[in-house]
Amino acid sequence: WASDSFALLRCDGTVSTWGEPTEGGNSSSAQDRLQHIVDVVGSQSAFTALRSDGEIVTWGHKDFGSALGGHKDFLKDVTEIVASGRAFAAILKDGTVISWGDKKYGGDCSAVKDRLKDVRSLAASFSAFAAICGGGHVVSWGNEASGGSCENVKDQLVNVRQLSATDAAFAALLADGKVVTWGADGDGGKSENLEKVQEISGTSKAFAAILTDGTVRTWGDPSKGGDCSLVQEKLKHVQRLYPSGRGFAALLSDGHVVSWGEVSDTRGVEDELLDIRYIA
């Protein structure tokens, strides 16, 4: 989400930043602690780095999650960090979760704290978080309009093995290959009955799913990748999906690439899109 700054993580575990100084582009105040870093995530105007010893380092605008407040002493033995637009959430070694930042963006998980146990993974929309807990059930918090409440579908959220998010919706892939969605309808929160799904991925306002037969189904905002009808015939033997903010690229088993959405024009480079191994 960091829109005006960049953070670069080197192979030696150090970090460099650039961009708008007050929005995470200047990390000088934290540079002495930016050692042995294994991950860096960004909100719109702040960053959090995870050290190999389980401690975290934050910098950037205080209103976007760089201020830890009373959580500082409890953020030890962190194993995973994720970011919404103005908040962060962390999984601790004991399977609990701490979130901080703007409460309207998921920075306060106190209302669901008792349910956030044995947490396996986290996902974030622009203003909400969702967690897969032991047993495969899901807990969400933050802005309800952006997926912060999954109460309407909680009975369907069993044996969840993957979560994906757009700006204002979540999609959960169940162990039986079905998909459950919630959040804003126009951002992918409403989907058709999907089965035999093996992977889901999200842009800013749409989702795409690879089915077990190697084909693809999409839903959400058509202009942001929610409509792949123009390239549907080409979407066969799909191996991986790679989302941008406004579209998708699919890598096929033969190394070819198929893209769709607002930024899908590959004219001029079609001849180069052969024998591809990875897309960034």
Side-chain angles (χ1 to χ4, degrees), residues 58 65-75 100-101:
T58 63
S66 69
L68 296 175
H71 298 300
K72 183 176 181 180
D73 293 337
F74 300 97
L75 282 163
W100 66 97

Side-chain angles (χ1 to χ4, degrees), residues 27-101:
S27 59
S28 59
S29 63
Q31 199 58 231
D32 61 329
R33 291 175 291 144
L34 289 172
Q35 308 289 330
H36 311 293
I37 304 300
V38 295
D39 192 18
V40 180
V41 298
S43 66
Q44 274 196 309
S45 298
F47 291 96
T48 294
L50 175 60
R51 292 167 48 109
S52 60
D53 61 6
E55 295 195 1
I56 64 166
V57 183
T58 63
W59 69 95
H61 199 295
K62 64 181 180 63
D63 294 335
F64 289 77
S66 69
L68 296 175
H71 298 300
K72 183 176 181 180
D73 293 337
F74 300 97
L75 282 163
K76 310 290 185 181
D77 296 322
V78 175
T79 61
E80 181 182 335
I81 48 175
V82 296
S84 68
R86 299 178 67 133
F88 295 90
I91 304 177
L92 307 190
K93 189 176 181 179
D94 64 3
T96 60
V97 169
I98 293 177
S99 64
W100 66 97

